[in-house]
Amino acid sequence: MEKGRRKNNMLDGMHADLLVISILTFITSIIGLPWLVAATVRSISHVRALSIFDSAGKLKSTIEQRITGLSIHSLIGACVLFDKPRAILTQIPKSVLMGLFLFLGTSALPGNEMWERMKELFKDSKIAPKERWSKVPTKVTMLFTAIQMGCLGAMVYVKESPIGVLFPVVIAMLAPLRFWLEKSGVVKKEYMDILDEE
């Protein structure tokens, strides 16, 4: 999400979002309300829709605007506060909603480096196009991808288990795991900088 951002802009869209979320988290913590939850798939789809690509398909820049976020959260607020919007939402079949979420999830996969490396496990390396991480030895790339897949599996397992409330703890452990992989020499620093750049 950082690609294509304007450099040296003190309060661009990403920083403004983080500022607002920080203030809201502080306020909700003080008055005992639950914290905000990230809407990752929707956010990725939104950023992708506002992205400008060059003729080679590489990201050039991202259009920053606040109207979509304001509109979405105004509609969410209307559904929470008023009965009529909630009544309309109850008429939407659950299968339609699940189909929408499936579409959003699958449309957000292209460009995700972990997904691209997972697909590379099934490609012939001789004819596959070279990616940014092609400079890293194949065994190291496969090991790092397998560790990422294991972490993803652990997150899903914890989320679906009776201790699902501890799901954020698993996410918090990803950073120490990354540093341990680098410090212990399982993945060399120069390879880690390429594999985990974004």
Side-chain angles (χ1 to χ4, degrees):
M1 299 208 9
E2 200 169 308
K3 272 189 177 176
R5 288 181 50 229
R6 292 193 300 264
K7 302 294 180 207
N8 302 322
N9 186 351
M10 190 65 173
L11 197 62
D12 62 358
M14 184 172 137
H15 288 110
D17 287 348
L18 289 174
L19 176 66
V20 169
I21 288 171
S22 300
I23 292 168
L24 291 173
T25 302
F26 177 75
I27 292 169
T28 56
S29 296
I30 288 177
I31 59 178
L33 292 174
W35 288 349
L36 300 169
V37 177
T40 310
V41 172
R42 186 186 76 206
S43 300
I44 292 170
S45 298
H46 181 242
V47 170
R48 188 174 295 276
L50 294 174
S51 298
I52 300 171
F53 297 92
D54 63 13
S55 57
K58 297 289 181 189
L59 181 63
K60 269 180 26 181
S61 65
T62 304
I63 301 167
E64 293 184 23
Q65 51 96 358
R66 306 275 69 121
I67 297 189
T68 310
L70 180 67
S71 304
I72 289 170
H73 290 93
S74 298
L75 290 170
I76 291 171
C79 290
V80 169
L81 298 172
F82 305 112
D83 290 334
K84 289 230 187 247
R86 269 197 309 262
I88 293 170
L89 284 180
T90 59
Q91 301 301 312
I92 300 172
K94 194 172 184 178
S95 57
V96 171
L97 288 176
M98 293 299 111
L100 174 66
F101 293 139
L102 179 65
F103 169 75
L104 285 173
T106 55
S107 66
L109 285 174
N112 179 302
E113 287 194 3
M114 180 181 159
W115 175 250
E116 298 300 330
R117 284 196 309 271
M118 285 170 58
K119 287 193 319 187
E120 228 173 62
L121 295 173
F122 304 101
K123 291 180 182 176
D124 184 359
S125 60
K126 293 177 185 126
I127 59 172
K130 297 293 178 201
E131 297 288 351
R132 184 179 52 75
W133 54 84
S134 297
K135 300 173 226 165
V136 179
T138 307
K139 284 185 179 181
V140 175
T141 303
M142 290 174 71
L143 173 66
F144 184 72
T145 305
I147 291 169
Q148 281 188 312
M149 290 167 62
C151 290
L152 178 64
M155 285 191 290
V156 170
Y157 175 77
V158 169
K159 183 181 159 292
E160 298 299 323
S161 74
I163 58 167
V165 74
L166 297 177
F167 173 69
V169 174
V170 178
I171 294 174
M173 295 306 296
L174 294 177
L177 174 64
R178 182 206 188 278
F179 291 122
W180 177 82
L181 286 171
E182 193 176 299
K183 213 146 192 61
S184 65
V186 174
V187 179
K188 291 182 182 174
K189 182 178 179 2
E190 61 264 23
Y191 297 152
M192 185 64 84
D193 290 343
I194 294 170
L195 290 170
D196 197 33
E197 182 182 315
E198 295 179 4

